[in-house]
Amino acid sequence: AYSYDDQNIFAKILRGEMPAMKVYEDDKTFAFMDIMPRGKGHCLVIPKAPARNLLDADPADLAAVAATAQKLAGAAMKAFDADGVTVQQFNEPAGGQVVFHYHVHVIPRFEGVKMNPPGKMAETNVLEEFAEKLRTQLAAN
Ligand code: AMP
């Protein structure tokens, strides 16, 4: 069985115990900026329901997260005039997972631009600017 630790950082964000730069929210999902972005406008989509990763998540929550990721991908294409979007999702330490609440990465991509190396914090004001661009685009869609 896969155990869910409700002290993980995304659980704290969902409970409002940790700050996050929110981009979108609905009944089942929450989306916010990744603080160590692999590219301009990199955001994360999570289910509100507890799930460690793909292996234990409720399929209805997976579907809801996919629908939100699709919304964000479309908004990102327009908001940043992106050429493509990379969607990533990691499971268990061997699969590259670091935070143990299911999440999908939505990373806008630009022709000829490689992804940033992992682990580098972005400046808050820059992230906030990108978050605002996404929110504005989502509101216009
Ligand atoms: P992974 O589990 O491999 O998908 O990696 C977790 C992701 O969460 C990484 O891209 C981190 O930059 C990101 N991350 C970690 N803590 C936070 C946080 N407090 N707010 C936003 N993103 C975070």
Side-chain angles (χ1 to χ4, degrees):
Y2 299 100
S3 66
Y4 182 76
D5 174 6
D6 70 4
Q7 293 306 306
N8 78 74
I9 198 144
F10 295 168
K12 290 182 179 176
I13 286 173
L14 284 171
R15 290 194 297 266
E17 296 166 11
M18 281 277 302
M21 268 171 253
K22 177 171 136 180
V23 173
Y24 176 85
E25 180 175 14
D26 61 22
D27 283 2
K28 282 184 175 291
T29 69
F30 186 84
F32 55 105
M33 302 308 289
D34 193 306
I35 52 171
M36 292 178 270
R38 306 292 306 275
K40 177 181 180 177
H42 180 173
C43 50
L44 301 170
V45 186
I46 64 177
K48 289 184 173 177
R52 177 175 167 90
N53 56 38
L54 179 70
L55 299 162
D56 67 328
D58 183 323
D61 290 320
L62 297 179
V65 167
T68 297
Q70 184 187 37
K71 277 198 183 82
L72 288 181
M77 289 292 285
K78 289 187 190 166
F80 305 116
D81 199 19
D83 300 308
V85 181
T86 297
V87 174
Q88 290 183 320
Q89 193 277 312
F90 306 105
N91 302 284
E92 297 300 320
Q97 187 175 13
V98 175
V99 176
F100 296 96
H101 180 107
Y102 179 69
H103 56 279
V104 167
H105 298 257
V106 177
I107 309 169
R109 301 300 302 276
F110 303 86
E111 215 57 74
V113 180
K114 292 204 177 87
M115 285 209 276
N116 299 331
K120 203 164 170 286
M121 293 273 280
E123 300 214 17
T124 305
N125 59 324
V126 174
L127 288 180
E128 189 48 62
E129 183 193 316
F130 294 159
E132 185 56 29
K133 281 206 164 92
L134 282 168
R135 289 191 290 259
T136 301
Q137 187 59 55
L138 284 163
N141 281 351

